[in-house]
Amino acid sequence: MQTIYPLLLDDGSPANEIDPAFGDSPYLNFDGTADYVSMGTIDIAGSALTIESWFNSADLENCASVDCRIVSKSNGTAETQHYWMLSTIGSSSGPDVVLRFRLKIGGVTSTLIAAAGLLSENTWYHAAAVYDGSQMRLYLNGLLVGSATKSGSMSQNSAIPVWVGGNPEVANQRPWNGYIDEVRIWSTARTQNQIATNAYRQINPNESGLVAYYRFDEGSGQAISDSAGDHHTYLGSSLTVDENDPSWSVPDTEPPTAPTNLQVSNAASNSIDISWMPSSDNSGVAFYEVLRDNLAVAQVDASDTMFSDIGLIPNTSYHYAVAAVDSSGNRSDNSSSVMGVTGAPDSAAPSTPANFNVSDPTATSLRLSWNASTDTGGSGLLRYNIFYADGSLAGTVIHPTLSYIDSGLSPEASYSYYITAVDGAENESAVSSTVSGTTLELSTSSWEAATASNDMNQILAWYQTNTGFDGVGCVNPTLGRVPTAADLTTYTGPSQITVDGTVIENKRISGSLIISADNVTIRNSVIDINGAYSYAIAIGGNPSLNYGSNWNVHCVTIENSVYESSQNYEDRGNRVMHITTPGTARYIKNLDGFGSGINGQSSGMVLEYNYIEHIVRSPGSHNTSMGLRSQGAPLSNFTIRRNLLRDGTSSAFSFYTRAAGLHENILIQENIFDLPHTTSTNYCVNYDGKHPAYPSYTMSNVLYDSNIFGQSNGSAVCGSSGPRNGGCDLQSGPGICEITNERYIDGNAL
């Protein structure tokens, strides 16, 4: 789906994302239980309507089917009971949330669901629903995200009220959880330009067609004013404080103190270091803004009070200042200014690193080490670049570190490398000689021997010791264990990766990542999604889009992913990864609860050695440990090998097609699917799951080999036919679709 970016002001600057409407004005906070504001019985005749509102959801999953109300004129939750309504809804393509608009014309209610504009929690958005007599339209942040043909006069009913933050007339039906501000109701159809231009500014309450205008600027008390008319109202159900009252949120307007004791140090030919004493703030400093010659050049995390300014001109003076910014966007005064002067130009490259060698091979890693280079140009050594023999970058190491672990490699494979040294002026040394190393076998005990046991506990123990994330794949030799979040530095880059070739490694990442660029690598990192309803990593977009290809995700731990939906909706809850473009995922680990595991919708994938546990169930859901879906085109040329996936609740593995054509060159081999806790499993594996509404497909060179299915809960079943449902029954045979060496183990409880 299309990504929607924040509104811009007339001067091109971004709108304030902390408070949607005019900086420091109050807004209402709805608790997601039974809060609402009644506008009374607003009735609009004719064939023109616009509903506008700013909103920010703390929990998009708060309501059944994710359809929490922003503004609603209705006498129930059914479609036919709505006269007009603006809400959220789960999209038709999966667990994404978008806008929805309902409108009754000639006694018949129509529903428009946005085709673009994915919503996230804890983010301010402006929404507008418009009807002009011929079209229903939805706008998000001034951009059109959905439209449908509709004509006729709107139905009226003066007995039915309009509510903000809930659905009339039962307070706990579809309640909003989060903020709402600046609600406007018009009897005219506003144009896209009018919506985008006026969303962020106070408007004249006497504008033609403005029926009701609630700014929610009171900040206290029960009474709420309608700036445009006489639809004055109050919080909740009466002027008396009760459980239906939303609370007032008054933005923090107090800025931090200015940083002090700003100092310059380590001035080189093209770099200057600065440091300062921290600021204080009533709500906490979010980051520091560094200014060079009165222009902002960097943002520094609040936990850090140092900055290295690189890429400067030799023999040049620069003036620096620093300001603190808090989580509400309040900015301190600038610190006092200091001056730094760069040194003479450095044109001398460092010496080539000597004694470059490979050592300490494991089944999935090689250790590289070298002697320190020297630099005589004055800018000092900065880093070492390690390259594969084909010239692609394997990794970088900041001087004075003199070793590098290349992890996430394939067992029993040969790798060749060379190295260069880079100084502070970006002068790069000559390349070293090329060295080579070979990874080891996974274990002295082969897969066949180790998995010959009929005890699933023994099989799992072997896997975790020899191939699993904590076995050999991602252990840091220096630490002697897999790094935790405490061992890593904070990631401060964007959540949506749009630059080709981006490498993120050894980082502690807060929130989900979206990969929308080619050749992106994420490795040796921890992603904390903070218990939110989201993907940990989403790659690409709809299957029809073609961006974010050739990605690599290696040795990544997912934390705080517990999010089990209470709603009866397919695929509700989180997913470890959502993949729609080719790439490789090795050693992805998550043990604390996802709604679904890895969801792949692309050809050209390699998924190996991933360890995912506690695939939680939502009522009526179809959560799958690992699922493949051919959504818009047939799948081909992918490998799924030696993954350990546990607690899938609808199926351990599902290959589900909605695309006609040839599915070919597919290997699903030596995976372990274990289901120790669930009691409602439909299938251990669901092959050839053709959707009845979609056309037939063909298969070529599809092999399911040596997969193991464990079911240690004796009361659960794996489909009516045992370990699988379907298989290659429709199109079986050598070179077409084969299932070999499949085993089903009913082991002891784990």
Side-chain angles (χ1 to χ4, degrees):
M1 280 193 170
Q2 179 184 4
T3 300
I4 301 298
Y5 297 96
L7 285 162
L8 300 179
L9 302 180
D10 287 348
D11 63 1
S13 61
N16 187 325
E17 295 182 17
I18 304 302
D19 180 75
F22 327 128
D24 59 356
S25 65
Y27 41 87
L28 287 177
N29 185 2
F30 297 77
D31 68 2
T33 302
D35 289 354
Y36 68 92
V37 171
S38 176
M39 298 181 178
T41 55
I42 298 175
D43 225 8
I44 297 178
S47 56
L49 171 70
T50 300
I51 309 167
E52 289 186 82
S53 179
W54 281 92
F55 66 93
N56 182 329
S57 175
D59 182 6
L60 288 167
E61 284 265 300
N62 187 59
C63 304
S65 299
V66 207
D67 59 342
C68 300
R69 303 299 195 261
I70 302 171
V71 179
S72 179
K73 178 180 174 70
S74 176
N75 61 348
T77 59
E79 182 180 48
T80 57
Q81 294 175 296
H82 287 83
Y83 284 78
W84 34 271
M85 179 266 283
L86 174 64
S87 77
T88 60
I89 188 67
S91 77
S92 60
S93 61
D96 301 319
V97 183
V98 294
L99 290 175
R100 178 174 62 169
F101 176 24
R102 278 181 172 167
L103 182 65
K104 180 173 285 190
I105 294 176
V108 178
T109 301
S110 296
T111 297
L112 169 63
I113 296 176
L118 303 186
L119 303 177
S120 299
E121 293 172 352
N122 303 310
T123 303
W124 278 106
Y125 298 98
H126 180 269
V130 179
Y131 174 60
D132 65 2
S134 62
Q135 289 263 314
M136 294 171 62
R137 295 186 177 90
L138 275 169
Y139 297 92
L140 182 64
N141 288 355
L143 297 179
L144 181 68
V145 293
S147 63
T149 300
K150 191 71 176 176
S151 62
S153 296
M154 294 180 292
S155 300
Q156 296 178 261
N157 190 329
S158 60
I160 294 178
V162 179
W163 282 13
V164 176
N167 198 76
E169 291 181 300
V170 180
N172 62 1
Q173 287 185 343
R174 312 302 192 265
W176 187 258
N177 188 345
Y179 306 128
I180 295 178
D181 200 5
E182 285 288 308
V183 174
R184 305 167 185 174
I185 308 297
W186 304 77
S187 61
T188 59
R190 303 285 281 178
T191 66
Q192 182 174 9
N193 183 63
Q194 288 173 324
I195 292 167
T197 301
N198 293 287
Y200 197 76
R201 54 168 61 99
Q202 181 179 350
I203 61 174
N204 184 343
N206 297 317
E207 281 202 40
S208 175
L210 185 58
V211 176
Y213 181 17
Y214 296 95
R215 294 194 58 200
F216 300 139
D217 281 353
E218 289 78 4
S220 63
Q222 291 292 107
I224 297 174
S225 297
D226 173 13
S227 300
D230 59 0
H231 301 285
H232 306 298
T233 186
Y234 39 79
L235 301 178
S237 59
S238 69
L239 283 170
T240 303
V241 174
D242 60 33
E243 64 181 5
N244 301 125
D245 296 348
S247 60
W248 293 103
S249 290
V250 180
D252 172 21
T253 59
E254 181 179 338
T257 61
T260 58
N261 197 29
L262 183 63
Q263 296 183 355
V264 168
S265 61
N266 299 328
S269 61
N270 67 340
S271 65
I272 293 175
D273 293 347
I274 62 171
S275 61
W276 58 90
M277 295 298 293
S279 299
S280 60
D281 183 72
N282 63 319
S283 62
V285 174
F287 61 88
Y288 293 98
E289 182 180 72
V290 177
L291 297 93
R292 181 208 310 136
D293 296 335
N294 295 319
L295 294 176
V297 293
Q299 290 183 357
V300 177
D301 189 86
S303 62
D304 201 355
T305 55
M306 300 178 62
F307 174 68
S308 293
D309 194 15
I310 62 175
L312 304 178
I313 300 172
N315 292 329
T316 303
S317 61
Y318 295 93
H319 293 82
Y320 293 92
V322 178
V325 181
D326 67 18
S327 58
S328 296
N330 300 306
R331 187 182 185 279
S332 75
D333 293 333
N334 291 346
S335 68
S336 57
S337 177
V338 296
M339 184 181 73
V341 181
T342 52
D346 176 7
S347 59
S351 64
T352 301
N355 196 27
F356 186 44
N357 67 90
V358 180
S359 63
D360 302 331
T362 71
T364 58
S365 68
L366 294 168
R367 184 177 186 271
L368 306 169
S369 61
W370 56 92
N371 293 344
S373 296
T374 58
D375 183 66
T376 59
S379 61
L381 288 171
L382 177 61
R383 68 179 185 274
Y384 297 96
N385 293 336
I386 300 98
F387 298 91
Y388 294 112
D390 64 2
S392 61
L393 184 66
T396 60
V397 174
I398 302 301
H399 181 77
T401 302
L402 299 175
S403 65
Y404 175 75
I405 304 296
D406 193 16
S407 60
L409 306 178
S410 297
E412 301 177 71
S414 179
Y415 295 87
S416 297
Y417 306 88
Y418 63 86
I419 188 172
T420 63
V422 181
D423 67 17
E426 292 296 317
N427 298 308
E428 189 167 15
S429 74
V431 302
S432 70
S433 57
T434 299
V435 297
S436 299
T438 301
T439 52
L440 303 178
E441 293 184 36
L442 280 172
S443 171
T444 55
S445 174
S446 69
W447 168 269
E448 291 77 10
T451 58
S453 169
N454 285 321
D455 187 332
M456 180 58 79
N457 290 316
Q458 292 184 20
I459 294 173
L460 293 174
W462 178 90
Y463 181 96
Q464 291 167 325
T465 300
N466 293 280
T467 70
F469 190 101
D470 295 317
V472 296
C474 301
V475 172
N476 183 307
T478 302
L479 296 173
R481 56 175 171 79
V482 176
T484 66
D487 301 312
L488 308 174
T489 58
T490 301
Y491 174 69
T492 58
S495 60
Q496 182 164 10
I497 311 303
T498 58
V499 178
D500 291 348
T502 296
V503 176
I504 300 172
E505 60 181 337
N506 301 316
K507 292 298 182 183
R508 182 173 62 250
I509 302 164
S510 178
S512 303
L513 288 178
I514 301 173
I515 297 178
S516 300
D518 294 336
N519 303 308
V520 172
T521 297
I522 304 170
R523 62 190 173 206
N524 305 325
S525 297
V526 172
I527 299 178
D528 184 341
I529 66 170
N530 303 314
Y533 164 57
S534 182
Y535 306 116
I537 303 174
I539 304 171
N542 285 332
S544 59
L545 301 177
N546 184 22
Y547 54 82
S549 296
N550 302 319
W551 47 269
N552 283 277
V553 180
H554 287 173
C555 296
V556 173
T557 303
I558 315 298
E559 294 185 342
N560 291 327
S561 61
V562 176
Y563 188 97
E564 182 167 4
S565 170
S566 61
Q567 309 307 329
N568 186 356
Y569 194 82
E570 181 176 352
D571 288 340
R572 286 295 122 192
N574 294 326
R575 286 177 179 163
V576 178
M577 294 182 71
H578 181 72
I579 304 166
T580 61
T581 58
T584 300
R586 289 191 179 100
Y587 296 104
I588 312 302
K589 177 181 178 181
N590 176 267
L591 304 182
D592 63 3
F594 259 88
S596 292
I598 294 177
N599 181 33
Q601 298 184 20
S602 173
S603 296
M605 295 182 299
V606 177
L607 308 177
E608 293 183 317
Y609 305 109
N610 300 296
Y611 181 15
I612 302 170
E613 188 167 313
H614 294 145
I615 312 298
V616 298
R617 182 176 178 83
S618 304
S621 69
H622 298 282
N623 298 332
T624 303
S625 298
M626 182 171 286
L628 301 176
R629 176 176 292 183
S630 55
Q631 191 76 8
L635 300 179
S636 62
N637 303 313
F638 65 76
T639 298
I640 296 178
R641 183 171 178 264
R642 293 193 177 178
N643 300 279
L644 172 57
L645 301 125
R646 306 179 67 190
D647 302 1
T649 56
S650 276
S651 55
F653 177 81
S654 176
F655 180 14
Y656 187 69
T657 181
R658 293 187 176 187
L662 178 63
H663 295 70
E664 61 181 339
N665 302 326
I666 297 169
L667 176 62
I668 301 169
Q669 184 180 51
E670 298 179 348
N671 299 283
I672 302 175
F673 300 99
D674 188 49
L675 312 169
H677 302 302
T678 181
T679 59
S680 52
T681 298
N682 294 327
Y683 311 120
C684 279
V685 63
N686 179 21
Y687 303 149
D688 292 3
K690 189 184 90 66
H691 193 286
Y694 291 85
S696 299
Y697 60 94
T698 56
M699 305 181 80
S700 174
N701 195 27
V702 176
L703 177 62
Y704 302 91
D705 178 54
S706 301
N707 297 293
I708 296 175
F709 301 91
Q711 181 88 50
S712 55
N713 187 323
S715 62
V717 296
C718 265
S720 59
S721 61
R724 60 180 174 85
N725 178 67
C728 293
D729 298 342
L730 300 178
Q731 302 171 48
S732 61
I736 302 174
C737 181
E738 296 180 82
I739 300 174
T740 58
N741 304 315
E742 184 176 81
R743 289 203 299 136
Y744 172 68
I745 298 175
D746 190 3
N748 298 319
L750 300 176

